[in-house]
Amino acid sequence: MSYDRNDEGLRSDGSKGHVLIADDAPFITKQIAKILTDDGYVVLDRVHNGEDAVKRYQELYPDVDLVTLDVTMPKMDGLKALEQILAFDKEAHVIMVTAYGNTNLVKKAITLGAKNFVIKPLKQETVLPLFRDATRK
């Protein structure tokens, strides 16, 4: 992350961080956006497939502090998008989101470089600490 933070850990715009959300379910992108904006983050964009996630990350770079990627999306799945985002920026902070608690997917995502993994349904008290932690790493 190439931006400066003040002594309280806030960006120059006063936010906790800038986020790109990728999920093919609009209600999930809305839910994640609400959780994060209520906590002081700025959502830069919400996209609905892996190809758009990679494209928007590259367009918004270096202003993105956190990316949330759904594992199962059209055009390009979240794991492939994770690989491409990290190939572009090895310092990217990405959290994978899925409806499936598949241990192999969790291991693969973490091995590829995801900061963490959350399972739907999303509960603010459960996922917010993971989002906060990912932006600090």
Side-chain angles (χ1 to χ4, degrees):
M1 297 183 292
S2 62
Y3 56 85
D4 293 321
R5 288 188 180 268
N6 66 20
D7 293 339
E8 290 82 37
L10 301 178
R11 290 178 57 114
S12 60
D13 65 1
S15 72
K16 290 186 177 179
H18 292 177
V19 184
L20 172 63
I21 301 169
D23 197 297
D24 60 331
F27 75 95
I28 295 293
T29 61
K30 185 176 180 181
Q31 182 182 25
I32 294 170
K34 178 158 178 33
I35 289 169
L36 289 168
T37 56
D38 284 354
D39 195 54
Y41 290 85
V42 172
V43 175
L44 297 175
D45 203 355
R46 295 185 259 182
V47 297
H48 303 290
N49 66 67
E51 283 183 4
D52 288 346
V54 173
K55 179 180 175 188
R56 287 300 288 150
Y57 186 85
Q58 292 171 346
E59 292 169 352
L60 295 166
Y61 177 85
D63 201 35
V64 181
D65 304 314
L66 176 66
V67 180
T68 67
L69 288 176
D70 185 19
V71 172
T72 306
M73 292 185 286
K75 294 189 182 180
M76 179 188 298
D77 69 39
L79 292 175
K80 185 67 175 170
L82 171 67
E83 288 178 311
Q84 289 192 15
I85 287 170
L86 290 173
F88 176 79
D89 174 17
K90 66 180 169 107
E91 301 296 321
H93 294 190
V94 181
I95 290 186
M96 305 303 295
V97 181
T98 187
Y100 311 105
N102 184 322
T103 307
N104 291 331
L105 285 178
V106 173
K107 288 179 184 174
K108 184 169 184 179
I110 299 301
T111 300
L112 289 172
K115 299 296 181 193
N116 218 321
F117 201 98
V118 296
I119 299 172
K120 300 173 194 173
L122 305 175
K123 295 181 181 173
Q124 182 171 351
E125 63 274 7
T126 305
V127 299
L128 194 51
L130 299 176
F131 294 152
R132 287 176 184 158
D133 186 51
T135 57
R136 289 187 198 112
K137 290 183 179 177

